[in-house]
Amino acid sequence: DTAVSQTPKYLVTQMGNDKSIKCEQNLGHDTMYWYKQDSKKFLKIMFSYNNKELIINETVPNRFSPKSPDKAHLNLHINSLELGDSAVYFCASSPNLAGGGNEQFFGPGTRLTVL
Amino acid sequence: LAKTTQPISMDSYEGQEVNITCSHNNIATNDYITWYQQFPSQGPRFIIQGYKTKVTNEVASLFIPADRKSSTLSLPRVSLSDTAVYYCLVGPRGGNTGKLIFGQGTTLQVKP
């Protein structure tokens, strides 16, 4: 049973397109996150949601719009894709808000390639 | 969130003990030290967490000196399957997520 799942695993698209990545967790956690991992392996948080409410938006362009229909799902929609958006995007969850000291459970990642 | 510094890469051989040190000079009183492991094409996964002294589980040990300005992840008798990136993360439990930045991590390459 997958705890945190993401779809799709790979996403190849053209510049200017709009795409979505879906995330679901079956752990009953209150908090979910989106991270971006660049080619140098830096893993940086983009958003965090707690009980469907946006908590953190870390200076992410407004082309990125997360949406949480319920606390088990956190989807990421990206408008007008740019070359620099190419990266691996990870969804994660934790029992409650993690200040770095709470265990987070990560999904398998979505590799986005913008051509 | 306290900034962490780790070596970018390390090499080891099968059967050896590997120690990866993380510096966190600005660690706050309520911060915990957490290590994650990331295999290629997978998401990071939690390995171990500690606050002070020593913590051991079935995967690793974590050594934290009294001043807590650094920590050392110890992997006993590594195998090829321990080849991964290891991230050190420092922060409080709960509360504001703040700037959760995992940094660049330490890429461990285990050779036969």
Side-chain angles (χ1 to χ4, degrees), chain A residues 37 41, chain B residues 6 34-36 38 85-88 102-105:
Chain A
Q37 186 169 45
K41 300 294 185 183
Chain B
Q6 306 173 231
T34 311
W35 285 80
Y36 286 80
Q38 184 179 23
V85 180
Y86 293 82
Y87 294 95
C88 167
F102 278 63
Q104 208 166 5

Side-chain angles (χ1 to χ4, degrees), chain A residues 9 33 35 37 40-45 48 55-56 58 90 96-104 106-109, chain B residues 1 32 34 36 38 41-44 46 49 87 89-104:
Chain A
K9 189 168 176 61
Y33 313 83
Y35 284 85
Q37 186 169 45
K40 293 186 176 181
K41 300 294 185 183
F42 279 101
L43 193 63
K44 189 172 181 181
I45 191 168
S48 69
I55 302 299
I56 291 288
E58 285 292 332
F90 288 99
N96 43 46
L97 277 176
N102 283 4
E103 181 178 352
Q104 297 177 61
F106 285 80
Chain B
L1 200 69
Y32 286 76
T34 311
Y36 286 80
Q38 184 179 23
S41 302
Q42 293 186 26
F46 174 95
Q49 182 181 77
Y87 294 95
L89 188 66
V90 174
R93 284 179 177 170
N96 193 337
T97 304
K99 297 187 184 297
L100 274 171
I101 300 175
F102 278 63
Q104 208 166 5

Side-chain angles (χ1 to χ4, degrees), chain A residues 1 10 14-15 17 23 29 33 35-36 46 53 55 59 63 67 73 78 83-84 88 95 99 101 104 107-108 113:
Chain A
D1 289 342
Y10 299 96
Q14 300 285 332
M15 264 197 317
N17 283 351
C23 178
H29 289 167
Y33 313 83
Y35 284 85
K36 180 180 179 180
M46 300 172 67
E53 290 189 23
I55 302 299
T59 60
R63 297 182 296 105
K67 193 147 195 173
H73 295 84
I78 315 170
L83 293 177
V88 181
Q104 297 177 61
T113 303

Side-chain angles (χ1 to χ4, degrees), chain B residues 47-68:
Chain B
I47 306 177
I48 197 167
Q49 182 181 77
Y51 183 81
K52 61 180 180 180
T53 62
K54 176 184 173 182
V55 179
T56 297
N57 62 23
E58 66 278 4
V59 177
S61 293
L62 179 59
F63 298 92
I64 306 167
D67 65 6
R68 304 200 327 124

Side-chain angles (χ1 to χ4, degrees), chain A residues 20-104:
Chain A
S20 292
I21 307 172
K22 295 185 176 181
C23 178
E24 177 181 3
Q25 56 96 0
N26 61 6
L27 298 167
H29 289 167
D30 284 346
T31 311
M32 295 184 73
Y33 313 83
W34 276 108
Y35 284 85
K36 180 180 179 180
Q37 186 169 45
D38 62 25
S39 58
K40 293 186 176 181
K41 300 294 185 183
F42 279 101
L43 193 63
K44 189 172 181 181
I45 191 168
M46 300 172 67
F47 300 100
S48 69
Y49 267 72
N50 190 59
N51 276 320
K52 302 192 300 175
E53 290 189 23
L54 177 65
I55 302 299
I56 291 288
N57 175 347
E58 285 292 332
T59 60
V60 176
N62 57 15
R63 297 182 296 105
F64 291 79
S65 52
K67 193 147 195 173
S68 183
D70 54 62
K71 72 175 192 178
H73 295 84
L74 181 62
N75 303 323
L76 183 65
H77 188 76
I78 315 170
N79 289 327
S80 304
L81 278 156
E82 301 176 356
L83 293 177
D85 298 331
S86 295
V88 181
Y89 292 84
F90 288 99
C91 177
S93 73
S94 63
N96 43 46
L97 277 176
N102 283 4
E103 181 178 352
Q104 297 177 61

